[in-house]
Amino acid sequence: MMDLGWMGWTPFTATFFAVIASLLVTMTVWEIARPGGAPRRGVLGFETTRGDRLFVSLLGSAFIHLGWLFFGGTDLWWALGVSVLYAFAVFRWV
């Protein structure tokens, strides 16, 4: 077995990667169940697919969390809530 102790895994990093993996699996199952996910033009003015909207959601959530750490401190539960609302908005209107 490979020794991964140098990576500094904590329950939080393991949860983070598990959530990302589950999002990718969910998007794959969604695409298999309902193929296509026709591109649409949202408020940003360019065509996006489901995968594009997931990427924009994850990228925006990272910036929300970084901004929260800089301006608001280390209590990231509020940043998580804002990120979830942001992701819903991206999937709805982008």
Side-chain angles (χ1 to χ4, degrees):
M1 174 151 297
M2 197 180 315
D3 179 28
L4 299 175
W6 62 272
M7 294 177 68
W9 284 92
T10 67
F12 300 112
T13 55
T15 302
F16 172 78
F17 284 106
V19 167
I20 298 295
S22 67
L23 285 170
L24 292 174
V25 168
T26 301
M27 292 295 285
T28 301
V29 169
W30 189 6
E31 185 63 29
I32 291 170
R34 298 191 61 185
R40 65 180 186 212
R41 186 176 300 270
V43 297
L44 296 179
F46 59 89
E47 289 186 353
T48 59
T49 63
R50 290 179 192 144
D52 297 332
R53 291 187 290 273
L54 177 64
F55 178 74
V56 169
S57 297
L58 291 174
L59 190 62
S61 295
F63 283 112
I64 289 169
H65 279 78
L66 287 173
W68 196 275
L69 283 171
F70 185 75
F71 293 111
T74 58
D75 185 23
L76 292 176
W77 291 109
W78 290 99
L80 177 63
V82 171
S83 295
V84 169
L85 292 175
Y86 171 75
F88 281 126
V90 166
F91 271 87
R92 175 73 174 110
W93 292 300
V94 173

